[in-house]
Amino acid sequence: MLKAVILIGGPQKGTRFRPLSFEVPKPLFPVAGVPMLQHHIEACAKVPNMKEILLVGFYQPNEELTRFLSNAQQEFKISIRYLQEYAALGTGGGIYHFRDQIVSGSPEAFFVLNADVCSEFPLPEMLSFQKEHGEPNSFVILGTTANRKQSMNYGCIVENEETSEVMHYVEKPSTFVSDIINCGIYLFNPDIFQHIGAVFQKNQQDMLLEEPTNGWHRAEAIRLEQDIFTALAGQGKLYVYKTLSFWSQIKSAGSAIYASRLYLNQYHKTHPERLASNKEGGPKISGICAQRWSALSSPPQLGPNVSIGTGVTIGAGVRVRESIILHGATLQDHSCVLNCIVGWDSTIGKWARVEGTPSDPNPNDPYAKIDSETLFRDGKLTPSITILGCNVTIPSEVIILNSIVLPHKDLNRSFKNQIIL
């Protein structure tokens, strides 16, 4: 039997996702029409002999998370449980803390997935690869190729090209090490807990040599990348499976728009029922849409790569492109929304224009990844996706460019390159 563990982090992790993460935990933010986590769960549920999916994080259990888990269990017919950490324990500390729940039932192997990645999730391929390479008790990292400059923003893997063994691992090196990067998706077996336990014991011994503090918290904070993979590299225990399919991190709102595009493109193969189709008298669309349309004298034009939540009202002559429109929003007649996330229950007035700057990877570089955005550069707000928090009202005939609008704001004029508090 197999299990899967999805690391969902906690409230202090989604800071670059604000103000959207004020309303909903980042892992439940809708990407391509469904919660970010659902893409992971769908992929895990398709793996043969998958018995249980465990979510590990330190969000307080809340109604949204409970409802999501209940709905996911019913839809995918698989046990899904949330295990809450008492503190931020890191990628290794979290699974070590709940090792008894993970090994319960004696799974032969288990996947570990970071919640903030977007991927085709080649989990069955990783299983086949693990059986073909190395010892039966070896571990597998999913890797992909980045360009030389961007690779230094990720965990870098030096492999033996003949055997795919990881010979060297460095997390975010200061100089170029390798163009193969860690995708944050792993295949382990229960032996991994011996290696994490050794680090835990070392941390405890180190704490005894220091002045007394509440350091046992820190002793259990263990990072898979720096503490485990670095030590395992070159020991014949760790292998890399390289994928050629799409992959991206989802750290910021801009990367959520990009991830939505990747998933929407995948839907043509995997979920064509989620994609809306053009109908006579209705809008011209190329995206996902969850509402009925009546014939309009000037139908809206939606797409490419538009994700629209339930209960959204879109008027005549509206233009939407490369955007996520969340539940309950209203786009009044002839408004224009480009490279933007429109928050829950927000309203954009007639003839208003809301536009952001895309933060896409270089389209001429097949190995380019989305850049890790900094909010400010040279003392100025970096131009990127425009974000409207929930219940924001944009008046008619104004322009909002490259701005972040916090929730419950009623604007009265145009803004450019600003955070509107």
Side-chain angles (χ1 to χ4, degrees):
M1 68 175 272
L2 300 169
K3 290 192 179 186
V5 179
I6 304 174
L7 305 176
I8 67 172
Q12 102 291 358
K13 282 291 183 186
T15 53
R16 278 185 279 178
F17 222 73
R18 293 174 182 168
L20 303 169
S21 55
F22 290 154
E23 308 303 321
V24 63
K26 179 183 167 184
L28 297 185
F29 181 81
V31 176
V34 299
M36 197 186 297
L37 265 180
Q38 185 166 326
H39 297 287
H40 298 64
I41 291 172
E42 280 182 2
C44 293
K46 288 178 183 175
V47 177
N49 211 20
M50 179 67 67
K51 296 301 182 191
E52 187 174 42
I53 299 171
L54 302 171
L55 309 185
V56 173
F58 51 103
Y59 285 100
Q60 289 292 329
N62 56 50
E63 185 182 342
E64 278 180 301
L65 188 57
T66 303
R67 186 168 59 246
F68 169 76
L69 293 178
S70 174
N71 292 341
Q73 282 198 116
Q74 290 177 8
E75 181 175 353
F76 299 108
K77 305 294 187 292
I78 190 170
S79 169
I80 305 174
R81 291 192 292 144
Y82 175 52
L83 306 176
Q84 185 189 359
E85 300 170 319
Y86 62 86
L89 299 178
T91 50
I95 63 173
Y96 186 68
H97 184 70
F98 292 111
R99 60 194 180 278
D100 290 343
Q101 285 91 332
I102 294 171
V103 301
S104 172
S106 302
E108 60 195 69
F110 61 95
F111 291 96
V112 173
L113 305 87
N114 286 322
D116 61 353
V117 298
C118 143
S119 172
E120 203 169 326
F121 300 108
L123 307 183
E125 292 86 340
M126 290 175 71
L127 272 171
S128 301
F129 174 87
Q130 196 253 6
K131 290 171 183 173
E132 295 167 6
H133 290 74
E135 310 171 7
N137 294 330
S138 59
F139 314 123
V140 180
I141 300 176
L142 182 67
T144 192
T145 304
N147 66 34
R148 188 180 179 95
K149 181 180 178 183
Q150 289 180 315
S151 67
M152 294 185 288
N153 297 323
Y154 301 90
C156 292
I157 299 166
V158 178
E159 68 161 346
N160 179 325
E161 293 186 2
E162 293 181 3
T163 65
S164 297
E165 183 190 345
V166 176
M167 305 306 295
H168 188 51
Y169 184 92
V170 187
E171 185 70 19
K172 296 181 181 175
S174 54
T175 57
F176 177 75
V177 171
S178 168
D179 60 0
I180 303 171
I181 62 169
N182 176 3
C183 291
I185 299 170
Y186 317 117
L187 175 59
F188 295 141
N189 60 63
D191 284 4
I192 192 69
F193 294 122
Q194 296 177 14
H195 301 282
I196 301 176
V199 173
F200 175 57
Q201 290 176 354
K202 181 180 181 301
N203 288 350
Q204 280 188 316
Q205 290 170 357
D206 291 345
M207 296 305 303
L208 293 174
L209 300 176
E210 298 177 11
E211 293 184 9
T213 62
N214 60 347
W216 67 283
H217 279 207
R218 287 185 288 138
E220 201 170 359
I222 299 166
R223 303 160 299 180
L224 282 174
E225 299 79 9
Q226 292 95 323
D227 299 327
I228 306 300
F229 295 160
T230 304
L232 284 177
Q235 294 188 13
K237 284 275 187 183
L238 194 59
Y239 291 79
V240 57
Y241 173 73
K242 289 179 290 187
T243 180
L244 298 175
S245 59
F246 70 85
W247 177 86
S248 179
Q249 286 185 321
I250 308 178
K251 296 291 188 185
S252 63
S255 53
I257 295 277
Y258 180 60
S260 182
R261 181 197 311 168
L262 296 175
Y263 281 135
L264 287 172
N265 289 334
Q266 188 193 30
Y267 282 174
H268 289 288
K269 292 188 300 181
T270 59
H271 291 287
E273 75 283 357
R274 289 183 185 168
L275 295 174
S277 56
N278 288 296
K279 295 177 181 175
E280 188 175 349
K284 297 177 181 176
I285 50 184
S286 171
I288 183 171
C289 184
Q291 78 177 90
R292 296 177 182 174
W293 298 93
S294 57
L296 297 167
S297 57
S298 176
Q301 187 170 344
L302 310 179
N305 305 315
V306 171
S307 170
I308 297 178
T310 56
V312 171
T313 303
I314 297 183
V318 169
R319 178 71 175 102
V320 185
R321 188 182 74 211
E322 300 285 351
S323 297
I324 296 174
I325 315 298
L326 296 169
H327 170 83
T330 299
L331 311 184
Q332 295 181 356
D333 295 356
H334 305 291
S335 57
C336 182
V337 177
L338 310 174
N339 302 301
C340 180
I341 296 180
V342 177
W344 302 267
D345 301 314
S346 290
T347 300
I348 297 178
K350 295 180 179 179
W351 297 100
R353 184 181 184 93
V354 181
E355 184 174 357
T357 299
S359 46
D360 297 349
N362 180 355
N364 299 315
D365 182 351
Y367 301 122
K369 306 301 176 199
I370 199 161
D371 278 320
S372 199
E373 298 170 18
T374 52
L375 200 56
F376 294 95
R377 187 175 295 142
D378 300 325
K380 297 179 181 177
L381 185 67
T382 308
S384 75
I385 297 296
T386 287
I387 307 172
L388 307 183
C390 82
N391 198 27
V392 168
T393 301
I394 307 291
S396 299
E397 301 182 29
V398 304
I399 300 174
I400 308 296
L401 292 177
N402 302 330
S403 296
I404 299 172
V405 185
L406 267 67
H408 310 294
K409 300 299 294 183
D410 201 343
L411 305 188
N412 55 13
R413 62 180 178 88
S414 298
F415 289 91
K416 178 180 179 181
N417 297 335
Q418 292 195 43
I419 297 177
I420 303 161
L421 301 173

